[in-house]
Amino acid sequence: MRQKYRNDINIEREMILHKIYLTKTDVRNFMHWGNDKANRLFEACRQKCIDEGKTNIEGKICYKHLLQLTGINESDITRMANQERKIKDTPPSTKLTSV
């Protein structure tokens, strides 16, 4: 079944990135994927950390590895989240009637 488009996805992503260290659930919510796909991405991020010679925190990944593997820019998320906030704060347009 197709999901309805969310008009606040980047606000949600921005809030997830503020955590810095992400869990599997964070990855799933960030990408809006199922468990299997999100778990594979999570493990790929953990492996990227190991390949860089760093130590992983148990059960978590650094958000920068997630962004590198997905090709998503943090600045783009911030910019789009700000746009979404502006849209939310704008009152709906009123219908113009002819006189």
Side-chain angles (χ1 to χ4, degrees):
M1 177 178 7
R2 261 187 122 162
Q3 288 185 341
K4 188 176 176 183
Y5 175 75
R6 294 194 48 181
N7 59 359
D8 62 347
I9 189 170
N10 289 296
I11 294 171
E12 181 181 354
R13 284 180 170 173
E14 187 180 49
M15 289 172 29
I16 291 170
L17 292 182
H18 283 290
K19 291 181 174 182
I20 299 177
Y21 292 102
L22 311 177
T23 63
K24 288 180 183 180
T25 302
D26 294 328
V27 173
R28 189 176 64 235
N29 292 335
F30 185 87
M31 296 304 294
H32 289 271
W33 286 349
N35 279 335
D36 292 338
K37 222 171 172 182
N39 286 342
R40 285 193 300 259
L41 180 58
F42 183 85
E43 292 305 322
C45 291
R46 289 184 65 79
Q47 187 59 47
K48 184 163 183 60
C49 182
I50 292 168
D51 293 344
E52 291 177 358
K54 299 177 182 172
T55 305
N56 284 309
I57 295 175
E58 187 64 35
K60 299 198 182 236
I61 60 166
C62 180
Y63 80 96
K64 291 195 184 251
H65 294 123
L66 175 68
L67 295 178
Q68 288 172 358
L69 289 176
T70 59
I72 298 173
N73 293 328
E74 186 175 1
S75 60
D76 289 342
I77 291 173
T78 302
R79 181 178 49 79
M80 291 184 288
N82 288 334
Q83 274 301 111
E84 290 171 359
R85 283 187 197 92
K86 286 179 188 175
I87 291 169
K88 278 183 147 185
D89 293 341
T90 305
S93 61
T94 56
K95 285 187 176 181
L96 297 175
T97 57
S98 58
V99 180

